[in-house]
Amino acid sequence: MDTKAPHLPLAFSFVDPTEMQERATALAKQMRSRRTVRDYADKAVPRGVIEACLQIAGSAPNGANRQPWHFAVIESPEMKRKIRLAAEEEERAFYNGRAPQDWLDALAPLGTDENKPFLEVAPYLIAIFAESYGLDDQGNKIKNYYVQESVGIATGMLIMALHQVGLATLTHTPSPMNFLNELLQRPKNERPFLLLVVGYPAQDAQVPAISKKSLQEIASFF
Ligand code: IYR
């Protein structure tokens, strides 16, 4: 049986309630300006910015501290092209028959289609993989816990970090996306979770005029 890890005093900075409210209000304003962006500028982003944001993602709370994620960062034009071609092939099938009509109707306001030029234009693609199970030195399976929740939280933290530092993102989910395992040489205990597109928005980028639910609609207090 494993034993309890040594414990250390928590390092925590306490904030007084007035400042806490100011921070919360300012952050809410800043985060509510985040939009999913589909048109990118062909403009470089420093690798160090991406690395720091990935360290934030890697600090996410997760099941039994298994950290069941892998972030494959794509910056080479050749790999972006391969990913675009494979994704567009799946998307063509999706938009021209695989997707049920109700799904296509739900997507109509967004104006999406099978063309994904952003997969080549944006400076970074981050393919996020969820580790369904771990492997020990002998190749035996090690159980992971709350994998979907853990990777979802890490991805949310990554999106928030990237927005905070001044970058735009797109959560892209070509379906199915098994091609990512092959192209990025990820083992079969990892399942592609999401393809995150990262960069600066194009000068003329437009976003759909859609709104978020109000606080009253999304929260209840008891
Ligand atoms: N994967 C497709 C379809 C798509 C699905 C949902 I749900 C969206 O919110 C947006 C798109 C595509 O990327 O076009």
Side-chain angles (χ1 to χ4, degrees):
M1 206 175 83
D2 288 337
T3 47
K4 188 173 171 180
H7 278 50
L8 300 166
L10 170 68
F12 190 88
S13 348
F14 285 88
V15 176
D16 77 66
T18 311
E19 191 187 338
M20 192 183 281
Q21 184 62 63
E22 281 167 15
R23 285 191 193 187
T25 307
L27 189 57
K29 181 161 183 257
Q30 221 265 336
M31 285 312 301
R32 284 173 69 82
S33 75
R34 186 203 58 78
R35 294 299 308 261
T36 288
V37 170
R38 290 190 163 77
D39 299 308
Y40 285 84
D42 176 12
K43 183 176 168 187
V45 166
R47 156 99 69 102
V49 170
I50 302 299
E51 289 174 349
C53 291
L54 287 172
Q55 286 185 303
I56 294 168
S59 76
N62 65 90
N65 200 32
R66 291 279 204 265
Q67 306 167 61
W69 42 59
H70 181 83
F71 303 90
V73 181
I74 298 109
E75 41 192 0
S76 97
E78 296 75 27
M79 185 57 81
K80 286 185 204 163
R81 174 137 199 91
K82 285 181 188 168
I83 289 176
R84 177 183 178 179
L85 292 176
E88 286 184 336
E89 196 178 317
E90 298 296 357
E91 296 293 322
R92 253 192 308 282
F94 175 87
Y95 283 97
N96 298 296
R98 194 192 289 150
Q101 193 56 45
D102 61 304
W103 195 347
L104 294 177
D105 293 346
L107 291 178
L110 306 180
T112 56
D113 62 26
E114 64 263 46
N115 300 307
K116 307 296 179 192
F118 50 75
L119 292 175
E120 281 191 276
V121 177
Y124 282 102
L125 308 177
I126 305 177
I128 303 169
F129 290 85
E131 193 191 72
S132 313
Y133 54 90
L135 291 168
D136 70 13
D137 297 343
Q138 276 85 50
N140 302 311
K141 286 188 187 183
I142 305 168
K143 216 177 152 203
N144 283 340
Y145 305 94
Y146 296 104
V147 172
Q148 291 292 107
E149 292 84 348
S150 301
V151 181
I153 294 167
T155 300
M157 289 175 65
L158 178 58
I159 292 168
M160 179 157 176
L162 290 164
H163 177 73
Q164 284 287 312
V165 302
L167 290 167
T169 57
L170 163 62
T171 45
H172 181 42
T173 50
S175 167
M177 47 184 160
N178 317 341
F179 64 84
L180 290 173
N181 280 73
E182 203 174 312
L183 288 177
L184 301 167
Q185 298 168 34
R186 298 313 304 168
K188 71 175 191 326
N189 60 326
E190 291 182 11
R191 212 181 41 73
F193 180 77
L194 188 73
L195 188 55
L196 195 67
V197 182
V198 183
Y200 295 97
Q203 289 260 320
D204 59 352
Q206 294 207 340
V207 289
I210 50 175
S211 58
K212 295 297 182 192
K213 292 180 183 175
S214 67
L215 178 64
Q216 289 67 31
E217 288 172 290
I218 63 166
S220 44
F221 295 80
F222 296 91

